[in-house]
Amino acid sequence: MRFCTPRPVRRGLARGLLLLLPLAGRAEALVPEDCAEPASECALAEAARQAGAFVGAAISNPELPAERATIPRDFNGITAENAMKWGSLAPAVGRYDFERSDAIADFAVANDLRLRGHTLLWRDQLPADLEAVVEASPDPASKLRQLIEEHLSTVVPRYREAVSVWDVVNEPLDTFTGELDRQTLFGRTLGEAYLDEAFRRVHELDPDAQLVLNEFFFDYDLASPLGQKARGFVDLVQRLLDRGVPVHGVGVQAHFGLPAIGPLPTRAQFEGFLRTLAGIGVAIELTELDVSLKWFLGEPDPLAAQADFYGEIVGACMAVAACTAVTTWGIDDSRTWLDSFPPFDLAAPQEPLLFDGSLEPKPAYFAVRDALAAREGVFHERAARLVTAFDEALAAGDLKGREAPLRWTRNALGRAGLRLAGGHYRAACDRLDRAGRLLGDRRPGVGSAQVVRGRGTAGLAERVRALGVALDCGNRRFTEDGVAR
Ligand code: XIL
């Protein structure tokens, strides 16, 4: 994978939150609640952090009540729903007004949020006179190139600190065929070359930013006739990579509004599409997720059915290692583009988001949280960190004990890591349990019975936590190294 780890994340907030936890003089108090525990009350953003992932929302104004109530508690990432589109930044060519976009960028920096820059080149929401200016030129292609260059070199450096990810190009494909859309100003004037040029230039302007190609789909089944757009997208990304274009990631918008063409995808179809994308070597994220409640009105409990579908979609992302972020297109049901944007407005109210209009979390909120918390593999990474932390603690003289038991403990940790890598959670737990015992933790309730009763990963988390406590001085290291991140 080219860029599986997003640009270095400012970890200040996570550390700050840890410090706020009641310490009560006990090392284990440094370890926040494990979001994979069945009765966990973790907020969404904490579940994302523990999964090594991001959960974001599209926002319009950081000062609005929904934004203030839910960020950063629930979202550790944001996207400007409109404010960073070319036509929002410059209603007329070259006449920039950064007031609203700067407010969002400042908010992201102040709250340690991953900001997705959305979007540099898109067929819609352009400066009102852009097309006319280009068409009036004797050489429209050169004129458009010049204007794109001015736009990129104005905007990208301005947000170098704030923006981690750029949607460099949005929706380049024809709505149905999966061919390059040649109706758009960019496609018809410059052909596919505009993608190559834009990605290369943005990479020069901000070499640290993750560069994403963002697109929407009606059908995620690569084998079906309607899957031709998804197939066209895979082919396009592959062509760009073959030409050495710096495309680091792809954004799958994941709008599930109504009216729609075709049914909702199955989990297997959706996950299969993500796996195909991961297989060609790009990072993946779901960039604009929303799911109309209207799909489920025939169900006995529509909100529960909506939650189940949300859980499947986010679960699919979490099952694919290259999929590291999920952004919902809005925060609460009182403000959703689906209720005002044709043709979706026909089906208003669509109630597609994680919070209701009173900012109460819906069942979908908890389904997404649980899907994030259930991410497997993170525990494997944690076990690997345990070994490192153990070695560091030993080297620093923090671990007391006779040489042989310490060596056995380290071996047990190493074997636990191997078993985790193979997905053998219970066996790994036994090893961790053994390591915990060797390290002298004989408290009641830390026995393997819990592992058997637990959900595998949840039981393992208990083991990891017990180890953290047992290691005493090492516990703080674990925390900083990500066990309890
Ligand atoms: C939408 C916004 O949500 C609306 O407020 C605006 O009127 C139109 O654009 N795909 C995208 C987003 O990439 O930028 C769109 O956002 C929704 C579809």
Side-chain angles (χ1 to χ4, degrees), residues 82-101 125-131 133 151:
N82 289 300
M84 299 180 91
K85 293 169 182 172
W86 192 346
S88 304
L89 294 170
V93 169
R95 295 230 216 100
Y96 285 90
D97 174 357
F98 293 108
E99 195 180 329
R100 284 186 309 138
S101 52
Q125 292 177 273
L126 291 166
D129 56 347
L130 180 68
E131 193 161 340
V133 170
H151 180 56

Side-chain angles (χ1 to χ4, degrees), residues 58 60 79-82 85 118-119 122-125 167 170-171 214-216 253 255 287-288 290 329-330 336-338 340-342 344:
S60 46
T79 305
E81 183 172 353
N82 289 300
K85 293 169 182 172
H118 176 81
T119 169
W122 183 33
R123 68 164 84 82
D124 285 344
Q125 292 177 273
D167 284 337
N170 191 30
E171 302 180 357
N214 200 43
E215 187 55 273
F216 76 92
Q253 290 186 7
H255 288 294
T287 50
E288 306 185 13
D290 50 18
W329 205 243
T336 163
W337 76 300
L338 291 176
S340 56
F341 196 84
F344 304 109

Side-chain angles (χ1 to χ4, degrees), residues 216-435:
F216 76 92
F217 306 93
F218 294 117
D219 197 306
Y220 298 86
D221 181 1
L222 288 162
S224 88
L226 266 178
Q228 61 182 346
K229 182 165 183 183
R231 290 194 293 278
F233 185 69
V234 171
D235 291 347
L236 172 61
V237 175
Q238 188 66 67
R239 281 200 300 282
L240 291 166
L241 295 179
D242 289 346
R243 297 200 287 265
V245 177
V247 177
H248 307 126
V250 292
V252 175
Q253 290 186 7
H255 288 294
F256 299 100
L258 279 170
I261 298 172
L264 290 173
T266 64
R267 155 95 187 232
Q269 287 165 348
F270 192 76
E271 192 175 318
F273 181 50
L274 302 187
R275 286 195 188 283
T276 300
L277 291 167
I280 60 178
V282 282
I284 303 160
E285 51 182 306
L286 311 186
T287 50
E288 306 185 13
L289 179 60
D290 50 18
V291 182
S292 176
L293 188 67
K294 291 265 153 99
W295 287 103
F296 311 104
L297 292 187
E299 305 280 337
D301 186 344
L303 285 171
Q306 181 188 45
D308 287 347
F309 185 74
Y310 256 108
E312 298 281 293
I313 292 299
V314 175
C317 171
M318 290 296 104
V320 177
C323 193
T324 51
V326 176
T327 299
T328 59
W329 205 243
I331 297 172
D332 74 89
D333 288 341
S334 72
R335 271 188 302 145
T336 163
W337 76 300
L338 291 176
D339 285 354
S340 56
F341 196 84
F344 304 109
D345 57 338
L346 295 172
Q350 301 230 21
E351 300 172 70
L353 293 164
L354 301 184
F355 291 86
D356 69 18
S358 316
L359 294 178
E360 287 298 321
K362 294 162 61 183
Y365 173 99
F366 299 101
V368 169
R369 187 193 64 185
D370 290 349
L372 292 168
R375 180 167 214 170
E376 293 185 4
V378 176
F379 290 94
H380 164 220
E381 290 163 29
R382 289 179 182 189
R385 290 190 187 115
L386 282 175
V387 173
T388 311
F390 183 90
D391 287 346
E392 285 176 0
L394 195 60
D398 289 347
L399 289 177
K400 308 284 179 245
R402 283 182 296 122
E403 207 252 329
L406 287 177
R407 199 174 60 239
W408 298 333
T409 305
R410 194 202 181 283
N411 287 344
L413 288 173
R415 284 196 211 98
L418 287 176
R419 281 169 176 73
L420 285 167
H424 305 300
Y425 290 101
R426 193 161 308 162
C429 288
D430 288 342
R431 292 288 162 187
L432 289 169
D433 192 22
R434 181 171 155 75

